Amino acid sequence: MDITAQEIPETVTSISQAAELTGLTEDTIRYYERIGLLPYADRKPNGHRHYSKDQILGIRFLMRLKATGMTLEEMRHYLELTHQGDGTLSERYTLLEAHNDKIAREIAKLQETQEVIRYKLRHFRELAENPNTDSYDCETPDSSGQ
């Protein structure tokens, strides 16, 4: 999402604008409202939704959590804690800290995999320059295979 917080208006006047600002579809926003992941949007007299800047920022934060593998149920729990107020700060901190640790482990695994792929790319370049089809290693020379 390349829209900065400063570019979000104080009031977002339609679900289509909210979808544009959050990267979600209108149907996804409606679904997340139905399952309690998002609070129901405020309504104008004609029944159309409108959102505050804070609501849009909250949705965007939730989408970042989702993008990093947090489940909808975990996100809903986090929101419930948020709505309970400052008394849940330590629990929210612990929840986000655990999620951050999980992300760090996943990043480390991805970096290991990326190094294997880089090795294979170097290996393929070497083979293109000097064909030797006797070598089919898929691990880096210094990996232990674990």
Side-chain angles (χ1 to χ4, degrees), residues 14-20 22-34 38 49 51:
S14 69
I15 192 169
S16 63
Q17 188 180 14
E20 181 181 326
T22 61
L24 298 173
T25 66
E26 294 176 33
D27 287 339
T28 300
I29 291 173
R30 288 184 192 100
Y31 171 70
Y32 284 171
E33 285 180 351
R34 250 190 337 272
L38 299 178
R49 291 169 170 84
Y51 302 85

Side-chain angles (χ1 to χ4, degrees), residues 93-146:
Y93 181 91
T94 300
L95 198 156
L96 288 179
E97 183 178 45
H99 189 65
N100 186 62
D101 292 346
K102 177 184 167 192
I103 292 167
R105 288 189 302 274
E106 290 174 7
I107 288 170
K109 286 180 191 176
L110 285 171
Q111 287 174 329
E112 289 174 16
T113 300
Q114 185 179 40
E115 188 52 41
V116 170
I117 291 169
R118 285 178 177 155
Y119 168 76
K120 287 299 287 182
L121 289 169
R122 285 189 305 271
H123 183 71
F124 287 148
R125 279 192 297 273
E126 290 169 9
L127 282 175
E129 293 172 10
N130 183 16
N132 176 0
T133 57
D134 295 337
S135 179
Y136 294 103
D137 291 341
C138 287
E139 299 293 328
T140 58
D142 60 344
S143 67
S144 62
Q146 296 180 21

Side-chain angles (χ1 to χ4, degrees), residues 1-10 12 20-22 53 56-57 60 64:
M1 176 91 12
D2 34 356
I3 298 170
T4 66
Q6 292 82 15
E7 296 174 296
I8 299 172
E10 288 303 316
V12 175
E20 181 181 326
L21 291 169
T22 61
K53 182 176 186 174
I56 297 299
L57 291 171
R60 289 174 62 174
R64 288 180 187 272

Side-chain angles (χ1 to χ4, degrees), residues 73-90:
E73 190 55 42
E74 290 168 326
M75 290 167 37
R76 189 177 9 242
H77 179 63
Y78 179 83
L79 275 180
E80 289 168 0
L81 292 172
T82 300
H83 295 303
Q84 291 173 24
D86 290 347
T88 64
L89 285 174
S90 66

